[in-house]
Amino acid sequence: IIKEYKMKVALSVFLSLLFLTVVIAEDKYEKEMKKNLEKIEECKTANDYMKIANNFERIASAEKDKWLPYYYSSFLYVLASYSDSSNSRKDIYLDKSDKFINLADSLSPNNSEIYTLKGMISQARMQVDPMNRWQKYGADANNNFAKAMQIDTLNPRPEYLIGVGLFYTPPQFGGGPTTAKPILEKSLAKFEKFVAENEIMPKWGKEEVVDYLKKISESK
C-alpha cells in the first residue's frame, strides 16, 4: 500500500511539473508574440517590417506547432512590399510571404485569416504590374477572399481588402470609391462586433476602414 501511495504521489508531482512547464512555455510564447506585435506600429520602412518578420520566424522555429508566427511573418513581408517603391524587390518580399503563409496553412487548414492573407498577397502581386497581372492575381484574390468569408462570415478583413481593391480600381472597370463604399461599410459593421479570440490573434484593419470611408465622404 505504501509503495502504491508513493507511486501515486510521484505521478502527481510529475504531472504537476509537466503542466507547470507547459504553462511557463506558453506564457513565454505569448509574451514574445505580443512584444513583436506592438513593434509593428513603429515600422516605417521595408527593412523595419523585415526585422519584425525575422523575429516571428525565430519564434516559429521554436514553436513548430504554432501557425500564428508564420502568419505574422507573411503579413509583414506583404507590408514590406507595399512600403518599398522598387517593383523589382516587391516580388522578392512576396515570395517570402507566400512561403510563410503556406507553412501557416499546413498547420491550420481551412483558416479564414490565412485565406484572407493569401488574398492580400495576390492583391500585392497584382499591384506590381496591374495591366498584365489583373486577370491572374485578381481572380486569385477574389477566390481567397470568398473562401475566407465562407469559413468565417464574421471576419471583417476580407471585405476590408475587397473594398480597398475596389477603391483603387477605375470606375470604367467596375470600381471606384462609390462602389467600394458599401463593401467597406459592411466590413466596419463587422469590426464593430468583432472580438479577437485572444490578444495575439489578428485584429488589424479597423482604423484603415475608417480612414477609407472618411476619404470617400470627403471626396463627395
Side-chain angles (χ1 to χ4, degrees):
I1 294 173
I2 293 173
K3 186 178 179 181
E4 186 179 336
Y5 172 74
K6 286 181 177 178
M7 286 178 67
K8 285 182 179 178
V9 169
L11 180 60
S12 176
V13 170
F14 171 76
L15 291 174
S16 296
L17 288 171
L18 183 63
F19 175 75
L20 187 60
T21 302
V22 170
V23 168
I24 290 170
E26 195 68 20
D27 186 52
K28 183 183 176 184
Y29 162 71
E30 290 196 9
K31 280 181 179 175
E32 282 298 305
M33 289 291 288
K34 280 190 267 189
K35 183 175 76 176
N36 284 287
L37 286 171
E38 287 165 5
K39 290 178 182 176
I40 296 175
E41 294 296 322
E42 302 167 12
C43 295
K44 292 181 174 63
T45 67
N47 281 335
D48 292 339
Y49 288 117
M50 284 193 293
K51 282 177 186 174
I52 311 301
N54 288 336
N55 290 345
F56 280 114
E57 189 178 352
R58 281 193 285 272
I59 295 171
S61 297
E63 303 284 346
K64 298 185 187 303
D65 61 334
K66 304 282 198 303
W67 66 273
L68 272 172
Y70 287 123
Y71 168 91
Y72 283 118
S73 288
S74 178
F75 178 59
L76 283 155
Y77 275 108
V78 180
L79 298 182
S81 80
Y82 279 128
S83 65
D84 196 318
S85 58
S86 170
N87 277 352
S88 63
R89 286 194 291 266
K90 288 179 184 289
D91 278 322
I92 296 171
Y93 300 131
L94 296 170
D95 288 343
K96 283 267 200 178
S97 192
D98 268 331
K99 172 189 169 184
F100 290 124
I101 202 61
N102 288 333
L103 287 167
D105 191 24
S106 71
L107 293 168
S108 182
N110 295 315
N111 184 314
S112 178
E113 297 293 356
I114 288 173
Y115 277 100
T116 300
L117 190 47
K118 285 184 176 185
M120 189 181 186
I121 296 166
S122 294
Q123 280 186 331
R125 295 269 195 199
M126 183 170 60
Q127 288 184 25
V128 174
D129 185 4
M131 291 300 292
N132 293 308
R133 292 188 175 190
W134 69 269
Q135 197 163 12
K136 172 177 170 52
Y137 290 109
D140 284 349
N142 289 335
N143 289 338
N144 281 308
F145 293 143
K147 181 73 173 176
M149 289 188 288
Q150 180 188 350
I151 294 168
D152 183 0
T153 58
L154 301 179
N155 186 349
R157 275 165 284 282
E159 278 156 323
Y160 154 50
L161 293 169
I162 292 168
V164 171
L166 288 170
F167 182 89
Y168 290 109
T169 301
Q172 61 266 37
F173 294 110
T178 303
T179 308
K181 184 182 178 185
I183 309 297
L184 291 168
E185 286 174 337
K186 280 184 185 178
S187 173
L188 183 59
K190 289 183 180 182
F191 268 117
E192 298 293 352
K193 297 177 182 177
F194 178 78
V195 179
E197 190 179 318
N198 56 52
E199 289 184 80
I200 61 174
M201 284 290 283
K203 40 185 175 281
W204 53 270
K206 184 178 180 180
E207 289 180 14
E208 289 78 6
V209 171
V210 171
D211 285 344
Y212 276 105
L213 287 170
K214 186 178 177 183
K215 285 178 191 174
I216 293 169
S217 177
E218 288 172 352
S219 70
K220 291 183 178 181

